[in-house]
Amino acid sequence: MDNQTIGKRLKKARQNLNMTLDELAEVTGVSKPMLGQIERGQSSPTVTTLWKIATGMKIPFSSFLQEQGAEYTVVNLQERDVLIEENGAMKVYTLFAFDPIRSCEAFYIEFESGCEHMSDKHNDGVEEYIFVIHGKLDMVLNGTEITLGEKQAVRFEANIPHSYVNPYKDTCNIYNFIFYKE
């Protein structure tokens, strides 16, 4: 994803909320200088940083990655922008950007062997669904360890610390659906 595009979307979202950079820094825990660099397209934010910003602003993560679309969308991963994290070991594709009617968004994520990703807790009322389509994935949900294999899924309230770990030989591919409850 282009840093300029992410920056423009962050600035627009901040302005729509009538927030200053100081106010945004306070609610997100991301420094004012870093937020300014992101808005100007001078910094490539990590997934963790974007999640902190989205959580603090109470907006969907995908609002930084993709424009809103029509009433229906056919998705081809080869045509999607990819956000790369964890030194290339984690690839996040936005399947469906946040839909305000359904209050959800969907991602396809690849975890290479050895990938470890810690996700900050989300706002209250955010629920995640993880469906493993290939490989195995270890997760830690608020201190509880679970392992998911192919064709297994987990649903959890995402206002807890949670992590994704692939200590296995094969790449793990998942679908991640995030629902924002009122």
Side-chain angles (χ1 to χ4, degrees):
M1 173 56 67
D2 178 299
N3 293 343
Q4 294 292 327
T5 302
I6 291 173
K8 287 177 186 175
R9 291 179 186 166
L10 171 57
K11 186 173 185 176
K12 182 179 179 185
R14 179 179 61 80
Q15 290 172 337
N16 286 343
L17 294 172
N18 294 316
M19 296 179 84
T20 66
L21 280 174
D22 286 320
E23 292 168 332
L24 185 57
E26 186 175 321
V27 299
T28 63
V30 177
S31 73
K32 179 181 174 181
M34 175 57 74
L35 291 168
Q37 289 175 4
I38 295 169
E39 282 193 1
R40 291 187 301 275
Q42 297 171 333
S43 177
S44 180
T46 65
V47 169
T48 301
T49 300
L50 285 177
W51 271 115
K52 285 181 181 180
I53 295 169
T55 299
M57 296 177 81
K58 298 181 180 175
I59 62 173
F61 174 80
S62 65
S63 63
F64 297 119
L65 305 177
Q66 186 172 343
E67 292 290 341
Q68 300 301 314
E71 288 300 313
Y72 69 92
T73 304
V74 175
V75 178
N76 180 345
L77 284 182
Q78 284 77 10
E79 297 172 359
R80 301 313 251 191
D81 289 325
V82 60
L83 184 61
I84 298 174
E85 184 72 16
E86 307 302 342
N87 296 316
M90 178 180 170
K91 296 177 183 78
V92 180
Y93 300 83
T94 301
L95 295 174
F96 300 104
F98 178 74
D99 180 334
I101 295 169
R102 293 169 189 84
S103 295
C104 69
E105 56 190 337
F107 303 93
Y108 171 83
I109 304 174
E110 296 175 352
F111 298 99
E112 298 292 331
S113 177
C115 180
E116 295 184 21
H117 179 74
M118 175 66 180
S119 179
D120 290 328
K121 63 183 185 174
H122 305 300
N123 292 327
D124 289 342
V126 176
E127 191 172 69
E128 284 197 43
Y129 292 69
I130 305 294
F131 299 88
V132 176
I133 52 179
H134 177 77
K136 289 173 68 174
L137 183 66
D138 290 350
M139 294 187 68
V140 180
L141 303 173
N142 205 25
T144 302
E145 296 180 25
I146 64 169
T147 298
L148 297 172
E150 288 183 19
K151 300 181 183 176
Q152 288 188 313
V154 64
R155 176 186 70 201
F156 60 96
E157 294 290 328
N159 62 348
I160 58 173
H162 50 285
S163 63
Y164 308 86
V165 181
N166 180 6
Y168 306 101
K169 183 178 104 179
D170 292 334
T171 298
C172 179
N173 304 344
I174 69 166
Y175 289 120
N176 177 278
F177 296 91
I178 302 175
F179 292 90
Y180 299 85
K181 299 185 276 183
E182 296 295 325

